Amino acid sequence: MDSKYLNGILEERKDFIFCNSKDGGGKLKCEKDSVAGSVSQRACVYCGARVVLNPITDAFHIVHGPIGCASYTWDIRGSLSSGPEVYRNSFSTDLREQDVIFGGVKKLTAAIDEIASRFSPKVIFVYATCIVGVIGDDIETVCRMAEKKYGIRVIPVQSSGFAGNKSMGYKAACHALLRLMGDQKHSKVKGVNFLGDFNLAGEIWIIHQYLKTIGVNVISKITGDGRCDEIMKAPAASLNIVQCAGSMTYLAREMEEKYGIPFVKVSFFGLEDTRMSLLRIAEALGDPEAVKKARQLIFVEELKIQSRLDYYRKRLQGKKAAIYVGGGFKAISLIKQFADLGIRTVMVGTQTGRADEYEEIRNITEEGTVILDDTNPSELVKFIQEKGADILVGGVKERPLAYKLGIAFCDHNHERKHPLCGFEGAVNFAKEINLSMNSPVWKLVN
Amino acid sequence: MLDATPKEYVERSGLVINPAKTCQPVGAMYAALGIHKCLPHSHGSQGCCAYHRKFLTRNFRDPVMASTSSFTEGAAVFGGGNNLKTAIKNVFAIYNPDIIAIHTTCLSETIGDDIPSFIMGAQIPEGKYVIHANTPSYVGSHITGFSNMVKGMVKYLSVNNKKSNGKFNVIPGFINPGDMREIKRLLNAMGVPFILFPDTSGVLDAPMTGKFELYPKGGARVEDIIDAGNSTATLALGSFASADGAYELEKKCKVPQKVLKTPIGIKATDDFLMTVSKLTGREIPEEVEEERGQLVDVMVDCHYHYHGKSVALFGDPDLLIALTEFTINLGMIPKYIVTGTPGDSFENEIKEMLDAAGIEGKVKALGDLFTLHQWMKEEPVDLLMGGTHGKYIARAEDVPFVRIGFPILDRSVHSYLPITGYRGAMRVIEMISNALLDRQDRDAADEDMELIM
Ligand code: SF4
């Protein structure tokens, strides 16, 4: 990237930053470990596994490790349930010094016993945290023995890697899900699995409703508002629709290979993506009736929201946005959504975006947009200010940064307050952006 | 959400359900943020650091900066020495702090990294400092981590050069920036020269300026922590979070220490101010006397709101020790007291207070919220007090709830407004009374609804 932008940027970080120019070459480095000494915004393998599996509402999730890992992930995801609430409790082995020295197997066995004897669980997930790998606890065997003893599923989640980032945790979660689905042959049913929606603020319910309206049968939701039984039936489905590509493409590929289920990638963020996704699903099912109904649904829903969106478009036209989110897929959707509202994206970064996603980001943003991989607060602050962004979209750690800079903020992560997907989600998104951007509070900040 | 909690209490040996604590590093990070121009550094994989920053950010709603050694597979096998050296170099080059405060994580502890020797081998620019604390998460809790980091500050920085500075030291413990401010206000009102460390006021409750400051104005100055070795005495507020730092100062620099309760409630605040007065020979000024008088006035005005009400308390040990005393002083019955932090001394100290007050209560260190919930199911209480996670129990048992302590993730402003000192005590009374009276209003039949309460 052009050196004039790079004042005060760590030498090792320069290849991870890119300023979009249509004719110039240059390639962004990504999918690498963070630099030692950086204030990385990234999370770990365990975190990745946990956020994917935790929304399974009727499973018991035991964190095998010291207390921190359990307490930081206790009910933070914001995934809603329409039924069971077990998943919102925190179960852990709270490893102590003794266990680290002599091994934690005994404690884990006791923990599983205590759950099995008290709560009659169907499925228990056992997460390995980073030190479990180092002290060498054989959780596979513990889980296998518990399965035998209680006749239930006890599934180890191999999330103890410390080197990798969240994406490897996603993979560990996918492996656990495959184990839950098992090797049994299922007779096929017409219907889809919905992969990669975690039901934040109830989003999966909106999409579910759309699918119902166009006559598509949902076999299982993976994992938002998920149920163990439902997921075990997933292999019977005829199509997988994959939303959070970062976490779930792997699972979709494996399911294609193992159960012969083809998949399509979708996104329900923003009107354009929602529209395309509904049609893509209907077409992939080869169901002309569904295609017709999808068209109808799109027409009706869009009609309902246009005037409301226009209201916000007027108020937001010409503003500038900065984006920093987990995966590339979401960044892409957000850029399009902003464009639809007349907002230009001037900076965009992700924690774990892939090369192909960055390429697409480059294609859909305008010249001069700063693109970053695995960034840190100083870079965020620098580019937000230089580019004059009016709003930042990000997660927990980014919120106070934006506020300190006196600009608006929207949480598009675990702490989103309203459903942001589908047609009504597009309105909620515009509403939330407007609420923050046009708040009178900014008048008090110089 | 808590439908599954059975009433009958059974001992558990393997399982913690709904913890009342978290891990050491987050406490160490919080303490380190209380040094001006300090960048806390997490020696381990990046995930821990992200968690700890997020957790503090959620509680304080301010940016929390910290760097990480970003362990790789190799680091876990061969040790994290190289990562740490690179990290120190990078951090000084880019973030340019005055001091780096390193804490370890489970991982670096388990593989046995020797931090002092790594620091020795690192390039540290002239006039800059690097300190460290060992914070294995499988020992103690976040409070232990805080305490260890304070101890680390003393170990690395404080020096006795035989010239008394005429000041005295205050270690405030794991309390909010608003409370640290309040303690400083009281000391200033008394006109005594003091050094307070760590001090997160002005860091995690920094004012809005429209600029992002990597190092906000607040925080204890490194020079002051060094000079703490020349002070005449140290007051440690809270035996769990602050005592070890004070002992270390005594050992290293011969500064005599006294450990007191966190000054929450009338008696603990009295003790704090009288001790300061005794140590410095300064009178307690009229304006503070007046505040005390107001507090007693409020206690008289409100006593019938809460007298005889039973309360369950959970959270960090220093807070609970002070709150137990205060609620007893208010005529309440602290029936269940649970901390996640281990420590027999906690149970003993609380039991003594309960015995002296003739209260039959249950107390548990290294406990969890599941246990507390079971106790409350066995025999209910009138009020629950603790951090945000208590709200699920409050809802399940339909008990009024006062948010106090750490973490509070679903409300704001708590980090700005003190619960320490006489004015803080008034605020606690207001919270307790309002919670109880709101409940009374909610439940009152039409004919019982009262205008004046
Ligand atoms: S690995 Fe250890 S230090 Fe890191 S979050 Fe978990 S408990 Fe805390």
Side-chain angles (χ1 to χ4, degrees):
Chain A
M1 184 180 170
D2 200 343
S3 59
K4 76 169 191 271
Y5 283 106
L6 291 174
N7 281 335
I9 299 291
L10 210 58
E11 197 50 49
E12 291 91 328
R13 284 275 317 144
K14 290 186 180 166
D15 293 341
F16 296 87
I17 302 166
F18 183 83
C19 181
N20 198 353
S21 73
K22 296 291 171 200
D23 48 347
K27 213 172 155 55
L28 183 81
K29 227 173 163 183
C30 59
E31 300 178 79
K32 293 277 179 289
D33 291 327
S34 303
V35 177
S38 58
V39 182
S40 170
Q41 310 287 82
R42 268 181 179 171
C44 59
V45 182
Y46 158 75
C47 177
R50 187 76 202 265
V51 294
V52 169
L53 293 177
N54 203 61
I56 305 177
T57 56
D58 56 351
F60 284 74
H61 302 263
I62 304 183
V63 181
H64 183 42
I67 199 67
C69 301
S71 73
Y72 303 125
T73 49
W74 177 12
D75 202 29
I76 54 160
R77 171 106 225 204
S79 320
L80 307 188
S81 167
S82 56
E85 299 264 325
V86 180
Y87 72 121
R88 300 185 64 183
N89 289 285
S90 163
F91 301 97
S92 72
T93 48
D94 183 18
L95 290 181
R96 310 308 296 167
E97 198 158 22
Q98 287 296 313
D99 310 314
V100 173
I101 298 167
F102 300 110
V105 164
K106 213 172 107 203
K107 209 164 188 189
L108 176 60
T109 312
I112 296 174
D113 287 343
E114 279 157 12
I115 286 187
S117 62
R118 197 115 19 110
F119 301 102
S120 53
K122 266 186 272 178
V123 175
I124 300 177
F125 287 106
V126 175
Y127 299 75
T129 60
C130 62
I131 64 166
V132 168
V134 182
I135 61 178
D137 280 0
D138 180 4
I139 66 167
E140 283 281 344
T141 308
V142 176
C143 291
R144 200 166 345 105
M145 279 168 39
E147 286 202 330
K148 251 201 227 126
K149 186 165 169 194
Y150 295 107
I152 56 171
R153 297 305 312 273
V154 182
I155 299 174
V157 184
Q158 295 296 0
S159 47
S160 81
F162 16 82
N165 54 33
K166 243 173 151 172
S167 324
M168 290 174 71
Y170 294 154
K171 232 179 195 175
C174 291
H175 281 292
L177 287 167
L178 286 166
R179 272 174 93 142
L180 181 60
M181 291 173 198
D183 301 321
Q184 244 178 312
K185 287 269 162 287
H186 291 256
S187 41
K188 287 285 165 194
V189 183
K190 195 167 174 230
V192 303
N193 298 316
F194 189 11
L195 276 57
D197 189 302
F198 303 104
N199 203 28
L200 306 182
E203 288 178 341
I204 217 168
W205 297 328
I206 292 178
I207 308 302
H208 201 211
Q209 190 53 46
Y210 293 165
L211 293 176
K212 220 162 124 187
T213 313
I214 66 171
V216 174
N217 175 27
V218 176
I219 310 275
S220 79
K221 306 180 291 299
I222 303 176
T223 56
D225 195 20
R227 303 286 186 281
C228 298
D229 281 345
E230 207 183 274
I231 295 173
M232 288 188 222
K233 286 190 206 120
S238 46
L239 179 71
N240 276 341
I241 57 179
V242 185
Q243 162 132 291
C244 178
S247 66
M248 285 290 172
T249 311
Y250 181 77
L251 180 67
R253 288 222 179 89
E254 292 289 308
M255 287 177 77
E256 184 164 36
E257 192 159 302
K258 205 166 166 188
Y259 311 116
I261 307 175
F263 68 92
V264 288
K265 287 194 191 177
V266 297
S267 159
F268 287 99
F269 294 111
L271 296 184
E272 188 189 329
D273 283 5
T274 302
R275 214 183 290 134
M276 277 179 13
S277 298
L278 284 171
L279 290 172
R280 198 177 292 159
I281 294 167
E283 276 158 16
L285 282 168
D287 182 344
E289 186 57 22
V291 175
K292 209 175 95 200
K293 281 192 186 149
R295 291 226 165 86
Q296 244 162 22
L297 175 102
I298 294 166
F299 180 77
V300 173
E301 293 294 327
E302 290 203 324
L303 205 64
K304 267 199 247 167
I305 59 168
Q306 273 321 330
S307 65
R308 283 157 75 200
L309 271 183
D310 282 341
Y311 167 80
Y312 293 117
R313 283 189 185 114
K314 262 189 260 131
R315 316 195 77 195
L316 299 173
Q317 190 70 36
K319 301 275 191 193
K320 289 179 272 181
I323 297 171
Y324 189 69
V325 290
F329 133 90
K330 200 188 279 167
I332 293 166
S333 279
L334 280 168
I335 296 166
K336 292 192 212 158
Q337 239 179 311
F338 275 128
D340 184 49
L341 293 170
I343 297 174
R344 282 162 49 218
T345 299
V346 291
M347 187 210 90
V348 46
T350 84
Q351 283 178 38
T352 54
R354 293 188 320 262
D356 58 319
E357 292 168 332
Y358 280 117
E359 197 45 46
E360 165 137 25
I361 290 175
R362 192 173 161 182
N363 288 333
I364 60 172
T365 53
E366 51 188 73
E367 218 151 297
T369 300
V370 173
I371 305 172
L372 318 139
D373 180 62
D374 176 30
T375 190
N376 56 53
S378 358
E379 287 172 13
L380 282 177
V381 166
K382 178 180 156 69
F383 293 120
I384 286 172
Q385 281 180 325
E386 280 179 15
K387 291 283 159 186
D390 301 295
I391 188 162
L392 173 67
V393 181
V396 190
K397 295 193 292 302
E398 287 78 51
R399 179 192 291 268
L401 273 185
Y403 288 168
K404 284 285 178 217
L405 295 174
I407 69 165
F409 181 81
C410 168
D411 193 308
H412 210 288
N413 207 343
H414 305 186
E415 286 168 23
R416 73 184 65 153
K417 296 286 171 269
H418 307 100
L420 300 176
C421 70
F423 299 101
E424 48 259 70
V427 179
N428 286 340
F429 180 69
K431 188 171 161 190
E432 224 173 88
I433 300 282
N434 175 58
L435 218 57
S436 187
M437 224 182 287
N438 291 321
S439 159
V441 75
W442 307 122
K443 294 201 189 103
L444 295 173
V445 187
N446 339 289
Chain B
M1 177 189 135
L2 298 179
D3 302 347
T5 311
K7 199 167 160 186
E8 306 71 39
Y9 176 75
V10 191
E11 280 295 329
R12 279 170 275 133
S13 69
L15 198 62
V16 166
I17 311 178
N18 301 340
K21 67 168 174 195
T22 181
C23 68
Q24 282 209 47
V26 89
M29 190 181 277
Y30 181 57
L33 289 164
I35 307 178
H36 181 63
K37 282 202 85 176
C38 175
L39 193 70
H41 180 85
S42 163
H43 182 56
S45 44
Q46 58 197 12
C48 305
C49 187
Y51 276 143
H52 305 145
R53 288 175 56 213
K54 266 191 213 170
F55 203 60
L56 292 174
T57 299
R58 288 190 170 109
N59 183 72
F60 295 106
R61 305 198 183 205
D62 255 341
V64 171
M65 292 300 127
S67 53
T68 157
S69 290
S70 304
F71 266 36
T72 55
E73 208 74 54
V77 180
F78 302 112
N82 282 334
N83 288 59
L84 189 58
K85 275 176 223 159
T86 317
I88 291 176
K89 194 181 89 207
N90 281 341
V91 166
F92 279 125
I94 288 298
Y95 300 107
N96 192 30
D98 285 353
I99 174 170
I100 299 175
I102 302 166
H103 60 260
T104 52
T105 62
C106 294
L107 186 55
S108 51
E109 282 292 332
T110 311
I111 62 175
D113 272 359
D114 178 12
I115 311 294
S117 77
F118 295 164
I119 295 179
M120 227 112 81
Q123 288 170 1
I124 302 170
E126 203 38 51
K128 305 270 177 175
Y129 299 87
V130 177
I131 67 173
H132 104 281
N134 288 93
T135 49
S137 316
Y138 40 79
V139 178
S141 72
H142 57 294
I143 296 300
T144 323
F146 182 94
S147 163
N148 282 339
M149 184 48 85
V150 174
K151 205 164 125 187
M153 292 174 196
V154 173
K155 260 196 191 151
Y156 276 85
L157 300 173
S158 305
V159 183
N160 181 344
N161 57 19
K162 308 266 174 329
K163 268 186 274 158
S164 168
N165 58 18
K167 296 178 182 173
F168 80 104
N169 304 321
V170 179
I171 304 177
F174 198 123
I175 53 178
N176 277 323
D179 288 306
M180 300 199 187
R181 253 176 222 280
E182 179 65 6
I183 287 170
K184 289 196 288 186
R185 186 184 69 85
L186 289 170
L187 294 170
N188 284 326
M190 289 184 71
V192 297
F194 64 91
I195 295 169
L196 181 125
F197 75 96
D199 179 6
T200 57
S201 67
V203 181
L204 289 167
D205 64 353
M208 179 76 198
T209 58
K211 271 207 304 262
F212 166 69
E213 309 278 358
L214 187 51
Y215 307 110
K217 280 209 185 97
R221 311 284 135 165
V222 172
E223 314 83 84
D224 285 337
I225 304 178
I226 296 173
D227 193 31
N230 298 313
S231 297
T232 47
T234 304
L235 273 189
L237 304 181
S239 55
F240 278 80
S242 304
D244 278 356
Y247 297 151
E248 188 65 30
L249 256 173
E250 183 166 51
K251 200 171 95 195
K252 185 179 175 194
C253 304
K254 310 281 168 306
V255 182
Q257 49 68 32
K258 188 153 176 61
V259 182
L260 294 174
K261 289 194 181 76
T262 309
I264 296 169
I266 187 156
K267 171 134 193 324
T269 305
D270 284 350
D271 289 347
F272 168 60
L273 293 172
M274 308 268 266
T275 309
V276 174
S277 168
K278 221 188 279 157
L279 281 173
T280 59
R282 305 261 178 159
E283 298 271 308
I284 294 170
E286 213 187 294
E287 65 171 287
V288 177
E289 292 275 8
E290 193 178 23
E291 285 171 16
R292 185 179 195 280
Q294 287 177 318
L295 171 60
V296 177
D297 193 69
V298 165
M299 287 170 74
V300 170
D301 292 343
C302 303
H303 68 276
Y304 55 90
H305 295 163
Y306 41 68
H307 189 182
K309 299 282 187 193
S310 58
V311 57
L313 308 167
F314 70 92
D316 297 332
D318 293 335
L319 168 79
L320 295 184
I321 289 169
L323 267 185
T324 302
E325 180 179 76
F326 188 36
T327 47
I328 290 174
N329 288 159
L330 292 175
M332 300 179 76
I333 304 162
K335 197 169 163 132
Y336 309 128
I337 301 124
V338 173
T339 185
T341 302
D344 291 342
S345 65
F346 172 79
E347 292 188 359
N348 295 337
E349 194 169 348
I350 300 263
K351 266 187 206 135
E352 254 169 52
M353 287 192 273
L354 295 181
D355 285 349
I359 292 169
E360 263 181 60
K362 288 187 186 173
V363 47
K364 195 162 167 52
L366 201 54
D368 59 22
L369 295 188
F370 190 77
T371 295
L372 178 66
H373 189 194
Q374 288 191 305
W375 287 351
M376 284 172 62
K377 273 179 174 296
E378 268 169 23
E379 247 184 84
V381 289
D382 301 311
L383 181 70
L384 175 66
M385 294 176 78
T388 288
H389 292 103
K391 78 172 173 184
Y392 301 117
I393 301 179
R395 183 184 165 94
E397 298 311 312
D398 196 21
V399 174
F401 178 42
V402 167
R403 284 171 184 73
I404 194 163
F406 174 87
I408 294 177
L409 310 170
D410 61 340
R411 296 289 188 273
S412 58
V413 205
H414 56 272
S415 57
Y416 295 81
L417 300 180
I419 55 169
T420 46
Y422 298 126
R423 300 188 65 89
M426 274 189 235
R427 190 165 158 253
V428 176
I429 289 178
E430 188 187 16
M431 292 194 286
I432 292 176
S433 293
N434 288 359
L436 291 169
L437 296 180
D438 281 347
R439 177 56 54 113
Q440 197 180 320
D441 279 341
R442 192 200 76 175
D443 293 347
D446 274 354
E447 61 274 26
D448 295 330
M449 185 75 176
E450 288 177 78
L451 177 67
I452 298 142
M453 295 173 91

